[in-house]
Structures are given as structure tokens and as C-alpha cells.
Amino acid sequence: NVLSNPTESKYRTIKLSNKKVQEELVEVNGALDFLKACGFVLKQAEPGADAGCAHLPDACSLGHVETGWQELCSVMVAH
């Protein structure tokens, strides 16, 4: 969604406590490292909160995200 709406801040943050995000992203080996490679910054949750978030800073180039997305899609198609 961030590639389609790069100026909307809500698309630049992924709540890691979201159930679907937990199941389909957080629990996948290497997924958080992939997000970091694309420019996302992992932020710890506040004390007492469920989980943190992955945030793409405004200053971060979307080129890394787009390249990462293309690479991921090509791997998924190949398998």
C-alpha cells in the first residue's frame, strides 16, 4: 500500500500486533529482516503494549521498497 499511497503516513507503518500481520509476516523466517532491508525501522512497543511496529521513515526512498517487492514477487512466481 505504501507504493500506491507514498504520502499517507498510515501506509508507512505496519502494526506488528495485528493478527494477520503476526500470522503472515512476523512468524515468517526472515520477514522482518526483509522489511529492514527495504528501509523499514523496527520500533519497540511501549512498556505494557502488545508489540511494536515497522515504520518506513518519510526520508526513506521508496526505490528500496519497490525493488524488494519486485524481487519477492519474482521468487514467489518461481515457486
Side-chain angles (χ1 to χ4, degrees):
N1 289 335
V2 70
L3 293 174
S4 299
N5 303 286
T7 59
E8 291 191 46
S9 62
K10 69 179 182 179
Y11 294 117
R12 297 180 83 86
T13 300
I14 301 169
K15 294 179 184 177
L16 301 178
S17 61
N18 178 288
K19 183 179 179 181
K20 186 170 183 154
V21 171
Q22 281 283 322
E23 293 171 354
E24 297 184 13
L25 183 68
V26 175
E27 294 178 3
V28 175
N29 190 24
L32 295 179
D33 290 329
F34 176 78
L35 286 177
K36 289 193 292 187
C38 289
F40 282 84
V41 176
L42 300 182
K43 295 185 176 185
Q44 296 293 325
E46 297 295 322
D50 292 338
C53 67
H55 178 74
L56 185 67
D58 291 338
C60 185
S61 168
L62 292 180
H64 289 88
V65 177
E66 188 168 4
T67 300
W69 179 250
Q70 290 171 353
E71 290 295 322
L72 181 61
C73 289
S74 68
V75 169
M76 291 173 59
V77 168
H79 289 74

